[in-house]
Amino acid sequence: MRAALNRANFVGGLFSFRNIKSMSSSSSQNFVSRSVIKKVFAKLQKEGDGAVVRRGISRSEQKLLDPFLMLDEFSAVSPPAGFPDHPHRGFETVTYVLEGGITHQDFKGHKGTIYAGDVQWMTAGRGIIHSEMPEEEINKGLQLWINLSSNEKMIEPNYQELSSSDIPKAEQNGVQVKIIAGESMGIQSPVYTRTPTMFLDFILDPGAQFHQNVPESWNAFAYVLESGEGGAVFGSSNASPVSSHNVVVFEQGNDGVSVWNKSSSKKLRFVLIAGEPLGEPVVQYGPFVMNTQAEIDMTIEDYHYGKNGFEMAKYWRSQ
Ligand code: FJE
Ligand code: FE
């Protein structure tokens, strides 16, 4: 709560007339959009085994974007590069494939390939060891890490797999949305989010605009996947445009997020992701995310000795 207040004050100081500036005159009601408080260009970095990802959210954004821990855009990952056998504990990973396919295998015998438009919503809980390997030469997608609350970090692992056809879609006035989690245009996703989360994939025609409601206390960000020159405008119609591969972090509060595609020729594609902050301490050691250092030490021990959820660690190798 204290953090939220501090941030509101900080933002208020920077944009004193934000409510007036961001009021949309062309909308039927007066929708007050959140302003953008930070932009992060997702730089290429090496991960896994010979893989390269763009990291949009990393440790420096974790406080601003609680409950989100990481956002990677993978686009330069072709076989044999990939993410071979590795563990997770204490959070969820959401993999959304945009092009190509990713095959996953885990130490409980779960195996499958997800292709363009499909989503795997994995709750690592007390422990998963898996591999995530690209299926084709050209692959593109997003992986989001969502933290779990202290009382859910040690739950049984779980998968929710949605093929493209299971994901609800809606369209109005040149705006298409795929509702991966949460609700948009009156349509609800079937995904169960333990940490309340919204995950929407938007495509706006040239000149289109949209207002998306977001609960006031939630943290929210957008990640621009494709945009024409000067196309992607968030928060206020006269804000400066954002180019592809940027994360835009929104302030808290207000009615939600307004977006404009100011390009006259190119579509704008971005994901809008929001979640209810957990407000708990985060201690991360690579793929383990717990609340305290003692819990991390315990996790390393569990992984090493194959205990408390990592029983299969000693025997299992992906094929
Ligand atoms: C990981 C190194 C990793 N971003 N994007 C360390 F590579 C990974 C990891 C991924 C990953 C997987 C996919 Cl499919 C897409 C990713 C990192 O698997 F989890 C840790 N800790
Ligand atoms: Fe993983």
Side-chain angles (χ1 to χ4, degrees):
M1 192 58 205
R2 195 172 339 123
L5 282 175
N6 286 345
R7 180 135 57 94
N9 292 341
F10 166 71
V11 171
L14 270 184
F15 304 91
S16 342
F17 297 107
R18 75 192 200 282
N19 289 356
I20 298 162
K21 274 200 296 189
S22 58
M23 196 92 86
S24 170
S25 50
S26 53
S27 105
S28 49
Q29 84 254 55
N30 285 329
F31 182 100
V32 183
S33 177
R34 299 181 181 205
S35 304
V36 175
I37 53 169
K38 187 175 182 181
K39 287 181 214 177
V40 186
F41 179 69
K43 287 191 287 288
L44 292 167
Q45 65 174 69
K46 291 183 179 152
E47 259 307 359
D49 184 5
V52 177
V53 297
R54 288 188 183 274
R55 183 143 301 166
I57 292 174
S58 55
R59 283 166 200 264
S60 18
E61 286 72 47
Q62 283 179 356
K63 276 221 160 55
L64 271 180
L65 284 174
D66 178 16
F68 303 110
L69 300 164
M70 189 198 83
L71 179 77
D72 275 0
E73 178 188 359
F74 53 93
S75 61
V77 184
S78 343
F83 307 95
D85 305 8
H86 62 278
H88 293 282
R89 176 184 275 182
F91 60 100
E92 302 189 306
T93 68
V94 180
T95 309
Y96 182 34
V97 177
L98 300 169
E99 259 181 79
I102 297 282
T103 295
H104 58 271
Q105 289 182 45
D106 82 5
F107 71 161
K108 293 200 163 163
H110 190 97
K111 188 174 175 177
T113 304
I114 53 171
Y115 296 98
D118 303 343
V119 173
Q120 184 201 62
W121 197 288
M122 184 189 88
T123 306
R126 65 207 294 250
I128 277 286
I129 300 179
H130 69 172
S131 63
E132 299 157 287
M133 303 302 281
E135 202 49 47
E136 287 157 43
E137 279 307 310
I138 299 189
N139 286 282
K140 193 176 152 88
L142 297 172
Q143 188 169 93
L144 175 71
W145 289 9
I146 309 172
N147 205 359
L148 285 168
S149 69
S150 54
N151 58 347
E152 291 188 301
K153 284 187 178 293
M154 293 299 280
I155 62 175
E156 276 299 304
N158 180 256
Y159 290 91
Q160 298 178 77
E161 259 156 12
L162 288 95
S163 64
S164 182
S165 58
D166 302 328
I167 296 168
K169 295 161 189 72
E171 186 166 2
Q172 63 182 40
N173 306 326
V175 179
Q176 288 168 265
V177 63
K178 294 187 189 180
I179 304 139
I180 295 162
E183 191 191 310
S184 184
M185 298 187 190
I187 295 172
Q188 180 84 39
S189 157
V191 166
Y192 174 65
T193 58
R194 286 168 182 76
T195 303
T197 303
M198 166 187 282
F199 190 143
L200 305 170
D201 175 5
F202 280 103
I203 296 177
L204 270 68
D205 286 347
Q209 70 161 103
F210 193 68
H211 308 295
Q212 174 61 48
N213 289 310
V214 179
E216 225 177 303
S217 62
W218 289 21
N219 286 321
F221 69 95
Y223 183 71
V224 180
L225 290 165
E226 287 163 35
S227 166
E229 185 72 31
V233 172
F234 294 94
S236 157
S237 153
N238 54 15
S240 49
V242 181
S243 25
S244 305
H245 311 301
N246 271 282
V247 167
V248 289
V249 180
F250 298 101
E251 64 176 326
Q252 281 182 325
N254 292 344
D255 302 320
V257 170
S258 298
V259 54
W260 290 260
N261 182 3
K262 300 250 171 180
S263 168
S264 54
S265 58
K266 293 227 166 64
K267 289 185 192 265
L268 164 63
R269 186 173 191 185
F270 68 95
V271 292
L272 177 64
I273 296 173
E276 187 172 76
L278 295 167
E280 294 178 7
V282 175
V283 183
Q284 175 173 1
Y285 179 74
F288 305 138
V289 182
M290 302 302 286
N291 296 111
T292 65
Q293 186 58 44
E295 289 168 349
I296 289 290
D297 296 345
M298 190 68 205
T299 301
I300 294 167
E301 200 180 301
D302 287 346
Y303 178 55
H304 188 78
Y305 293 106
K307 295 187 304 185
N308 294 319
F310 286 118
E311 281 74 12
M312 290 300 290
K314 282 182 278 191
Y315 314 106
W316 182 79
R317 299 287 177 274
S318 61
Q319 283 118 45

